Amino acid sequence: MTHAILTIILIMGESDVMRHRVLVGGLAAALALSGLAACGNDKEPAPASKVDVVAGFYPLQFVAERVGGPHVAVANLAQPGAEPHDMELKPSQIIHIADADLVIYLKHFQPEVDLAVAQNAGDKSLDVATITPLVGQDPHVWLDPTRLAAIGDATAAKLAETDPANAAAYTEAAAALRADLLELDQEFASGLQTCDRREIVTSHAAFGYLARRYQLTQIGLTGLSPEEEPTPKRLTEVAAQAKAAGATTIFFESLVSPRVAQTLADEAGAKTAVLDPIEGLAAGSTEDYFSVMRANLKALREALGCR
């Protein structure tokens, strides 16, 4: 616990003191309420019989739960319905990172998580970017099911190190997840094989891995940050590209306002539809990675005129 408190102080530069006064006050309150207990998290502590896993955001939570099964308790640092890139950690979340048995994250995707992991998690962490190297600065590796399968295998290996008694169960669960992901991969490959168009026009350039895997061309209005605003010049350029490609659909994502996509659609004479990068799920959602990916496939087939 003391280690976590020191870490919060270490990750605050002098210029951040004002912003983090609330954080420090919240930490003090959390500690007081917990009686300096071992956890102090937003959710109940993991049962002693389970491996306590912290995941940076939804796809990593999904993998950890599928691979860990009944032997793990998984907490997602990102709030449901919130865009996870630039999230700020609560004091209780930093404490949880310090106390967890395993932290699964993707370096450079969530800067505050990177800092907290570097100071607190050490060899208790798994950076999935080391499993499936990033192409450029694009973090959205999970949109290629074969890459997510590799992350599942690595998660099983790390859980086996943490909990050797259940190593065989983790290996078996990862193999089952891999089989399901390869089946999904085949659905995408066959479903997108014969189409009238192969250009996908998106408000956020999050679909590079998906496009590369299935021989599509992504035309992104903005870069990798969903908060980035396009310039009028860029809007005009992409509208021209969309018209030239015969695009009928401009895609936007579920956790971000469709305003920019609608502006582009109006300019290009197209409609809008959701293509979900699966960075998180909406609050109360009953979907999971597979159902959202299959909804993405349906949307792509319609937009691209696939047969």
Side-chain angles (χ1 to χ4, degrees):
M1 186 70 67
T2 302
H3 180 59
I5 297 170
L6 290 174
T7 297
I8 293 174
I9 296 171
L10 285 171
I11 66 175
M12 294 192 299
E14 290 184 5
S15 63
D16 293 323
V17 169
M18 291 298 293
R19 183 170 74 86
H20 285 280
R21 278 179 180 169
V22 174
L23 185 151
V24 174
L27 177 61
L31 294 176
L33 288 171
S34 65
L36 297 179
C39 193
N41 301 303
D42 292 331
K43 60 185 290 184
E44 290 297 315
S49 61
K50 296 194 175 192
V51 178
D52 187 5
V53 178
V54 171
F57 56 103
Y58 173 70
L60 305 185
Q61 173 195 358
F62 169 77
V63 169
E65 289 176 340
R66 277 292 305 262
V67 173
H71 307 294
V72 303
V74 184
N76 182 354
L77 293 173
Q79 296 298 311
E83 204 285 321
H85 285 83
D86 299 316
M87 60 174 285
E88 295 182 4
L89 293 176
K90 299 176 183 178
S92 57
Q93 291 177 310
I94 297 176
I95 293 170
H96 197 172
I97 287 171
D99 291 343
D101 297 311
L102 176 61
V103 181
I104 306 175
Y105 74 115
L106 192 154
K107 195 170 184 179
H108 304 308
F109 185 63
Q110 298 165 295
E112 287 209 9
V113 176
D114 292 354
L115 286 170
V117 168
Q119 295 293 337
N120 289 286
D123 59 2
K124 300 188 306 176
S125 65
L126 173 63
D127 172 13
V128 301
T130 65
I131 307 306
T132 176
L134 304 185
V135 176
Q137 300 300 312
D138 188 353
H140 302 86
V141 292
W142 57 90
L143 294 176
D144 178 341
T146 64
R147 288 175 178 261
L148 193 62
I151 291 172
D153 294 339
T155 299
K158 194 68 176 180
L159 283 171
E161 291 178 13
T162 305
D163 178 24
N166 291 304
Y170 300 137
T171 300
E172 182 178 350
L177 175 60
R178 172 175 282 277
D180 289 344
L181 288 167
L182 293 182
E183 179 180 346
L184 178 67
D185 176 58
Q186 286 301 307
E187 290 177 29
F188 267 78
S190 60
L192 298 174
Q193 184 173 13
T194 307
C195 306
D196 294 336
R197 296 168 293 280
R198 304 208 70 79
E199 297 83 9
I200 55 173
V201 185
T202 65
S203 61
H204 170 207
F207 301 92
Y209 295 97
L210 186 150
R212 187 175 295 104
R213 179 68 183 170
Y214 305 111
Q215 293 81 54
L216 304 176
T217 299
Q218 175 180 229
I219 302 172
L221 179 58
T222 63
L224 294 170
S225 172
E227 291 86 10
E228 182 181 343
E229 288 286 338
T231 63
K233 178 181 178 183
R234 180 61 181 164
L235 189 65
T236 300
E237 289 173 348
V238 174
Q241 292 177 45
K243 289 178 181 178
T248 63
T249 305
I250 308 299
F251 288 112
F252 67 96
E253 60 187 77
S254 57
L255 299 183
V256 176
S257 168
R259 178 181 57 83
V260 172
Q262 187 61 61
T263 300
L264 175 59
D266 293 343
E267 183 78 14
K271 64 179 182 178
T272 60
V274 170
L275 192 63
D276 198 327
I278 325 183
E279 294 175 355
L281 299 179
S285 174
T286 59
E287 303 285 350
D288 69 1
Y289 173 84
F290 284 106
S291 63
V292 177
M293 281 292 281
R294 289 188 169 105
N296 281 346
L297 175 58
K298 181 179 179 181
L300 286 168
R301 283 178 51 79
E302 181 178 344
L304 299 179
C306 303
R307 299 176 291 283

